[in-house]
């Protein structure tokens, strides 16, 4: 996981039976609840913590190591991935 100023990168492994929209909804709901418990002032300042949008991509064609390097590189495209013609956007 990597936290950016305006989004979060998560690298998840899920079984094909789990719908990505359900998993993302659960993550957003849980984290919103926990953050609001820890920081009650958020309830007053922000009506919602997360937007309804998200981006998901299957990575069957890209190695896990490439994704991990992308996330570790603060959102920059790793030169190896760029050389192979991959554009990795996980935000």
């Amino acid at each position: 996981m990597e936290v950016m100023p305006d989004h979060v990168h998560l690298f998840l492994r899920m079984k094909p039976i789990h719908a990505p929209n359900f998993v993302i909804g659960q993550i957003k709901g849980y984290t919103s609840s926990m953050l609001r418990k820890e920081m009650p002032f958020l309830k007053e300042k922000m009506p919602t913590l997360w937007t309804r949008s998200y981006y998901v991509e299957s990575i069957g064609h890209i190695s896990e190591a490439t994704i991990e390097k992308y996330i570790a590189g603060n959102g920059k495209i790793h030169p190896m991935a760029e050389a192979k013609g991959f554009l990795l956007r996980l935000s």
Side-chain angles (χ1 to χ4, degrees):
M1 180 171 86
E2 177 186 29
V3 178
M4 303 295 284
D6 61 349
H7 63 278
V8 176
H9 292 159
L10 295 175
F11 185 37
L12 305 173
R13 178 175 291 154
M14 300 183 318
K15 293 182 180 181
I17 61 169
H18 296 119
N21 64 324
F22 178 78
V23 173
I24 297 300
Q26 293 293 304
I27 291 170
K28 286 182 174 186
Y30 178 78
T31 55
S32 177
S33 177
M34 291 289 102
L35 287 169
R36 288 173 189 270
K37 281 182 185 176
E38 290 181 28
M39 297 176 263
F41 66 89
L42 289 176
K43 290 180 185 177
E44 300 165 7
K45 301 259 184 201
M46 304 174 77
T48 62
L49 292 180
W50 298 109
T51 65
R52 292 187 301 176
S53 64
Y54 62 93
Y55 176 80
V56 173
E57 183 172 343
S58 171
I59 61 148
H61 61 287
I62 303 171
S63 73
E64 286 186 26
T66 301
I67 299 296
E68 289 167 353
K69 287 177 185 176
Y70 171 82
I71 291 172
N74 296 319
K76 297 176 186 163
I77 297 174
H78 190 269
M80 185 175 78
E82 198 171 33
K84 291 185 176 184
F86 296 131
L87 177 60
L88 308 175
R89 297 179 69 104
L90 302 178
S91 56

